[in-house]
Amino acid sequence: MTKRLGVGFIGSGFNARFHIQAWTGVRDADVLGVWSPNHSHAEEACALARKLAVGNARPYKSIGEMVADPAIDAIWLTGPNHARDENVHEIVDVLKAGKGELKGIACEKPLARSVKEAEHITKLIKGVNLPHGYLENQVFAPHVTRGKEIIWARGAALAGRPYLARAAEEHSGPHMPWFWQGSLQGGGVLNDMMCHSAELVRFLLTEPGKGRASLTPVRVTGHIASLKWTLPEYTKRLKQTMGEAVDYARHPAEDFASAMIEFETKDGRRVLGEATTSWSYVGAGLRLSAELLGPEYSMSWNTLESGLKLFFSREVTGKAGEDLVEKQNAEMGLMPVVPEEPAAYGYEAEDRHFTRCFLTGEQPLLTWDDGVEVVKLLMAAYMSAEQGKTVDFPPPGLVEFVPAVAKGTWKP
Ligand SMILES: NC(=O)c1ccc[n+]([C@@H]2O[C@H](COP(=O)([O-])OP(=O)(O)OC[C@H]3O[C@@H](n4cnc5c(N)ncnc54)[C@H](O)[C@@H]3O)[C@@H](O)[C@H]2O)c1
């Protein structure tokens, strides 16, 4: 490797701050810049990077200025979903004008809000020959990677391949209004969080060292529901906390989704991936979980079983916070704590991986092509849910499809 990677962030929100915290475990790269439409938020994210000594970050006035700066070698795209297209256009325009040189771009999940949008931005990035990585932290989570490694090496090697993977991401609802608005976000919880679980089940079921082509999705059964946030009292509460534009009486989005993805292996066997996501789960906080099962073995992972619990009696009436676990719901009683969340959820290993790939030219484990595949699975799950039946994959009309939730026409 020749030099260190200077990284610039687009977006300075929740996700960018998680990555910046994760950077304490990343070698050979420095967080050198942040651009966000809100300059003071960009300043705050830069101050966090400097405080953690992960880079002498400074806020930029525009995406163009950041991309053109020779100090910036790679972009981490962490803006809201509805800004993907405009952000990518801006980056590509600068590169086409010969004003900047980049070694790579990493984009957060979901890659885009529809297959059409995902394919479009991927084509743009490929048009300027920019190496691309798709950020899916859960397949880098240490418990997941170690669990998969041992299950395949010990269990699958002797007893046969795993046949069922389950994954779930659940919490009590997103922190910003745009997530709740189908048109901006691309859907409800299915689009927001099933991208994680759909990719995780595929990852767990894929033999180590084999690529995406070793498993072909052949059928998808999706289900979506509004369990909580269309109840009148919660619709009211949502409007009060998220603003008038988040009106679930008129334009609801699903807060629960499940999908069964049937994959075919190269030797013609069917294996199953079961994904569940929820914004209506009220536990201690965010819960990521997964299972991998085969003929004589199983693996299970649950981030709320972190090995650390604290107890606070009813006398301890402190203010609400997120210091024990992401999307924390309580501060009293027996509470799990997830120490080092960015590492536990996979951000740290993920950022290390993409840094190395962009510096060496190695092919990343996940590219935007993989991001497009994930969007295809999500849209197929929406199609199945809308049609009330299992769909063969890929279903006709997938590229042009926009979920009713994203169009604001969904009736729970
Ligand atoms: N991997 C994960 O588990 C995970 C977790 C959270 C979010 N995400 C993804 O990361 C992205 C950002 O989510 P978040 O939670 O940080 O949201 P957020 O709302 O907290 O932050 C979004 C940031 O983008 C900035 N922004 C606003 N308009 C913009 C524009 N036009 N162009 C670029 N940036 C703009 C905002 O100022 C803010 O800094 C989303 O795509 C989300 O799906 C991934």
Side-chain angles (χ1 to χ4, degrees):
M1 286 196 277
T2 50
K3 69 178 277 251
R4 298 176 70 79
L5 195 75
V7 171
F9 278 84
I10 292 179
S12 58
F14 186 86
N15 181 260
R17 291 196 301 274
F18 247 81
H19 281 288
I20 290 170
Q21 287 173 63
W23 227 268
T24 52
V26 178
R27 296 167 64 101
D28 304 317
D30 304 299
V31 178
L32 294 184
V34 178
W35 176 81
S36 164
N38 185 323
H39 196 73
S40 67
H41 287 174
E43 293 255 22
E44 284 167 22
C46 291
L48 176 66
R50 292 195 300 272
K51 183 174 143 210
L52 296 172
V54 296
N56 194 16
R58 72 175 179 89
Y60 284 83
K61 289 198 184 72
S62 68
I63 292 179
E65 187 196 39
M66 187 162 77
V67 173
D69 187 341
I72 300 294
D73 304 304
I75 295 292
W76 257 237
L77 191 46
T78 68
N81 302 0
H82 56 90
R84 286 283 193 276
D85 183 73
E86 106 195 20
N87 292 163
V88 171
H89 270 276
E90 205 166 339
I91 295 164
V92 167
D93 286 349
V94 178
L95 295 177
K96 274 192 177 158
K99 289 194 201 141
E101 243 179 75
L102 294 178
K103 291 184 193 313
I105 181 164
C107 180
E108 259 303 338
K109 68 79 197 164
L111 187 63
R113 296 169 297 175
S114 67
V115 178
K116 194 173 185 180
E117 193 174 55
E119 287 183 340
H120 173 65
I121 61 171
T122 304
K123 195 171 161 204
L124 285 177
I125 288 296
K126 287 183 177 178
V128 288
N129 290 321
L130 185 57
H132 40 96
Y134 172 59
L135 294 167
E136 175 40 72
N137 55 292
Q138 291 188 26
V139 305
F140 292 92
H143 287 76
V144 168
T145 51
R146 189 71 181 127
K148 175 183 172 179
E149 190 177 46
I150 299 175
I151 281 282
W152 275 90
R154 282 187 170 270
L158 293 176
R161 64 160 300 122
Y163 39 58
L164 174 62
R166 295 192 172 115
E169 171 157 12
E170 300 156 291
H171 60 57
S172 53
H175 58 287
M176 293 295 277
W178 69 265
F179 282 94
W180 296 91
Q181 290 166 271
S183 59
L184 297 180
Q185 194 254 105
V189 71
L190 192 155
N191 195 57
D192 181 34
M193 306 212 302
M194 196 176 280
C195 35
H196 292 297
S197 307
E199 186 55 22
L200 185 51
V201 293
R202 185 200 65 80
F203 173 76
L204 290 170
L205 288 167
T206 301
E207 189 176 342
K210 295 271 168 71
R212 185 167 220 101
S214 66
L215 277 185
T216 309
V218 287
R219 276 157 47 101
V220 176
T221 313
H223 190 89
I224 61 173
S226 174
L227 300 178
K228 175 176 178 181
W229 295 101
T230 46
L231 296 173
E233 69 204 89
Y234 286 100
T235 298
K236 193 169 151 206
R237 197 183 292 187
L238 200 51
K239 226 181 199 181
Q240 278 163 357
T241 52
M242 292 288 155
E244 287 293 316
V246 182
D247 185 352
Y248 270 35
R250 294 175 61 221
H251 302 301
E254 80 281 1
D255 58 26
F256 175 86
S258 69
M260 175 67 79
I261 307 168
E262 299 173 43
F263 296 96
E264 196 164 281
T265 64
K266 282 278 177 214
D267 52 7
R269 283 185 56 188
R270 288 283 167 106
V271 293
L272 301 181
E274 193 183 59
T276 309
T277 48
S278 172
W279 287 342
S280 44
Y281 166 73
V282 181
L286 169 72
R287 178 170 70 179
L288 310 181
S289 58
E291 292 184 359
L292 182 61
L293 301 97
E296 297 294 335
Y297 53 83
S298 62
M299 144 188 166
S300 70
W301 174 57
N302 179 340
T303 53
L304 289 182
E305 290 165 10
S306 72
L308 175 63
K309 286 184 188 128
L310 303 182
F311 178 80
F312 298 104
S313 84
R314 63 178 72 92
E315 302 299 321
V316 184
T317 53
K319 61 180 189 316
E322 225 175 344
D323 47 339
L324 309 181
V325 60
E326 181 183 335
K327 307 281 188 299
Q328 191 172 311
N329 285 311
E331 285 71 34
M332 260 184 215
L334 194 58
M335 288 289 294
V337 179
V338 183
E340 306 286 349
E341 285 183 293
Y345 302 154
Y347 286 77
E348 189 180 297
E350 166 183 77
D351 291 333
R352 262 200 311 268
H353 174 76
F354 287 106
T355 291
R356 197 187 66 221
C357 291
F358 292 154
L359 278 173
T360 61
E362 208 177 304
Q363 167 85 356
L365 181 67
L366 295 170
T367 68
W368 285 25
D369 292 319
D370 299 307
V372 172
E373 288 304 309
V374 173
V375 176
K376 285 184 180 169
L377 287 171
L378 302 183
M379 293 304 132
Y382 272 118
M383 279 176 117
S384 161
E386 287 184 17
Q387 294 169 17
K389 61 174 195 196
T390 300
V391 295
D392 288 335
F393 186 87
L398 190 62
V399 175
E400 300 294 329
F401 177 77
V402 174
V405 178
K407 292 194 283 205
T409 56
W410 183 59
K411 301 266 179 276

